Amino acid sequence: MGMDDLREKLRNMIVVEDISAIQIMSERTGLSEDDVRNVLHEMVEAGELSGHLTPDGSRFFRDGIPPPPATKGPDEEPPEFMKYDTRPGRIVATIGLIMVVGSLVGRVIASGSVAAENVAYIILFAGLVVLMAGCYQIGRRPTP
């Protein structure tokens, strides 16, 4: 194999086949890894290739390559273990919060009437229980 054939084969491996490993280039050309590195270095200096060797000399990367497209699209569904409907828990927690706020407002309005204040406190504690139950339902999500 002539030097021009070798350079063309290396250029095709790098540009067309997108191979960056010096070891694979060495196996395909039959040259030692050091010889492949030397030929690549000569090609870069001659302007036939644009790129660089890694510091350890195991790979050759071309310059000016755009990054690969993202692999995950927005249309993909999450895995089954990530799906969990929190709506029932949020609804229960919201009802509990409304009960707490309503009882506090009722307590302020009914100031002076012991019976009305007692009802407001009962609604307050019932609202706290409902709020905690809703929060428990939200936090009960199964682990993967």
Side-chain angles (χ1 to χ4, degrees), residues 128-141:
L128 287 174
V129 169
V130 172
L131 177 67
M132 287 189 294
C135 290
Y136 173 75
Q137 177 68 24
I138 293 170
R140 210 171 56 111
R141 178 182 182 158

Side-chain angles (χ1 to χ4, degrees), residues 103-119:
S103 70
L104 292 174
V105 170
R107 159 70 176 84
V108 170
I109 292 173
S111 62
S113 171
V114 175
E117 285 183 2
N118 287 341
V119 170

Side-chain angles (χ1 to χ4, degrees), residues 13-98:
M13 278 190 266
I14 293 170
V15 175
V16 177
E17 298 176 35
D18 202 25
I19 296 174
S20 64
I22 300 295
Q23 180 183 5
I24 294 173
M25 292 180 205
S26 171
E27 291 171 1
R28 289 192 181 180
T29 59
L31 297 174
S32 70
E33 291 182 18
D34 289 332
D35 291 338
V36 170
R37 284 186 204 99
N38 290 337
V39 172
L40 288 174
H41 185 67
E42 291 172 5
M43 291 173 71
V44 169
E45 286 182 351
E48 297 175 32
L49 274 178
S50 176
H52 62 280
L53 283 167
T54 57
D56 63 355
S58 63
R59 293 191 174 273
F60 180 83
F61 291 113
R62 293 184 299 170
D63 290 337
I65 299 176
T71 56
K72 182 179 179 186
D75 300 355
E76 294 181 20
E77 292 206 13
E80 190 62 36
F81 69 88
M82 292 295 288
K83 295 179 184 177
Y84 181 68
D85 189 17
T86 59
R87 280 182 296 168
R90 290 187 309 197
I91 291 170
V92 170
T94 303
I95 291 171
L97 186 63
I98 290 170

